[in-house]
Amino acid sequence: MDIREHKLDLDRESNKEYYSFLDDFPIIQDAINSINNKLLSFKQPRFFLFSQKKKIKAFLKPIEEVRDLKAKWSNKYITFLGKPSLSFNNLDPTVGYVHFMNFLAEVNHIVNNKYDTLVSNYMIIQDRNSNQINFIIAITSALLSLFGLLLAIYVLRK
């Protein structure tokens, strides 16, 4: 059995477009992680929800900025997939192409998953706020109804 060994290395100077994806990835990832950490540490009061909607909407601008970064990156990635240009020096092009394109696809998958998680966390906070407002309205209505019933019973007893 003959085992082949390949050193998979891509020259950065010859493959600037490919490495631009890898250089942009940490920037996008850090932006997503920063906003996501703020979302996860967001505390909502139980009863007094004054200005909560404004605090929640404050997350929209950074999320839109990250969305634009991700969209730009994804468009560049899709264009690159249409006509990939990789320059292999001393590497079998078949093995190198499959490896490096799979790696780039995995990076794209990570970016998409992280962004989807960010949007999901934002939606959870919005839903939690809406549900909490509805709960407070329901409790208030029940208390007012109970008060009205007790008042009606008291008036009818006299």
Side-chain angles (χ1 to χ4, degrees), residues 36-49 52-53 56 59 117-137:
N36 211 8
N37 288 338
K38 290 176 185 173
L39 284 172
L40 292 173
S41 65
F42 184 76
K43 300 282 187 217
Q44 259 182 309
R46 290 194 183 264
F47 295 107
F48 301 106
L49 300 176
Q52 282 302 103
K53 198 130 181 127
I56 293 171
F59 287 110
T117 302
L118 173 72
V119 171
S120 175
N121 287 339
Y122 179 74
M123 296 301 289
I124 287 170
I125 286 176
Q126 274 190 324
D127 289 345
R128 193 179 341 147
N129 186 54
S130 297
N131 290 340
Q132 199 166 359
I133 290 170
N134 291 339
F135 178 75
I136 291 170
I137 291 171

